[in-house]
Amino acid sequence: MDNFLNKLERKFGRYAIPDLIRYVIILYCAGAVIGMINENIYYEYLCLDMSAVFRGQIWRLVTFLIEPYGFSSGMGMLLSILFFVIQVQLFFLFGRSLEQAWGTFRFNMYFLSGYLFNIIAALILYLSPIHSQIYYSGFQYIYWSMFFAFAALNPDMQFLLYFIIPIKVKWLAILDAAYMLYQVVQSFYYGILLYSQGASGSGAAYISMGIAIIVAMANFLIFFFSTRNYRRVSPKDIHRRRAFKKQTQTSNSGPRHRCAVCGRTELDDENLDFRFCSKCDGNYEYCSDHLFTHQHVKKFM
């Protein structure tokens, strides 16, 4: 998997969108606006209804990403807004940390694969004996699966549970994983039960939620096993290398650094930093995205 991603990055890395999480948050906020106005707009015109897609409403393959956020009514609205703001801040934290650790291209691929997996799941549900036309889950669980990737990279970071109790991220991830497993079992149990009672619509909603959770966790596991040896680049180290590069760079010279994986130089992106790998046999230089992720070159006699 790691070699496959490296090959893709060499060919398509230049098309990766920097700071993708910013645009993801825009979609998330758009869903919140729809949820506040009338979430039925989403399910009538925007959700992933495969029967409608086959009738030509192909925009649904994109607009299903704008899943409405469930706001409470009355006095609970203020609490819902508070939790929404907290979620947005957490998504920014998770997303930017993952992009820094994985690199822009792999972070883009994380969302692209999650997007494609959800469409495939919706198609399978539609073509299966269940014949569920509407895939009721949007992209919510893909967003939250970023937390597991973040916890894998920062297991000892502490959060304040309920703003009071300090707890390490790895323990929160374990609790969240147990809750996700409970949700999957519950979703399939109620989905099958409702189908057996003739309530096919409600049954499909439960089953699609369970499948969406499985898809999100599968997406996380794929990237976890392909990036488990990654190390985060220290921000202080990045700043030091940038300062050194500015001091030594001359305006009339060609590229002085070139990444042995993606081939990019300091002329392609002024924010790139380069370093030689001490574990590789030979003079192999890598950009910050690949310094800790490449396969070490070993020469055998």
Side-chain angles (χ1 to χ4, degrees), residues 68-133:
Y69 182 86
F71 287 100
S72 301
S73 57
M75 293 299 295
M77 174 70 75
L78 294 177
L79 193 61
S80 296
I81 293 174
L82 173 63
F83 279 110
F84 174 78
V85 173
I86 293 173
Q87 285 186 30
V88 168
Q89 292 177 339
L90 287 175
F91 289 162
F92 266 120
L93 171 64
F94 301 156
R96 285 176 172 165
S97 295
L98 292 178
E99 183 170 354
Q100 184 186 50
W102 290 346
T104 299
F105 178 78
R106 292 188 181 226
F107 184 65
N108 278 231
M109 286 298 297
Y110 183 77
F111 274 96
L112 178 61
S113 60
Y115 164 75
L116 293 176
F117 287 161
N118 272 281
I119 290 179
I120 292 171
L123 182 61
I124 292 173
L125 268 177
Y126 179 70
L127 298 177
S128 71
I130 296 175
H131 194 61
S132 176
Q133 296 183 7

Side-chain angles (χ1 to χ4, degrees), residues 7 24 66 82 103 120 201 205 217 237 277 300:
K7 290 178 181 178
V24 169
I66 313 176
L82 173 63
I120 292 171
M217 295 309 298
D237 194 36
C277 178
F300 300 93

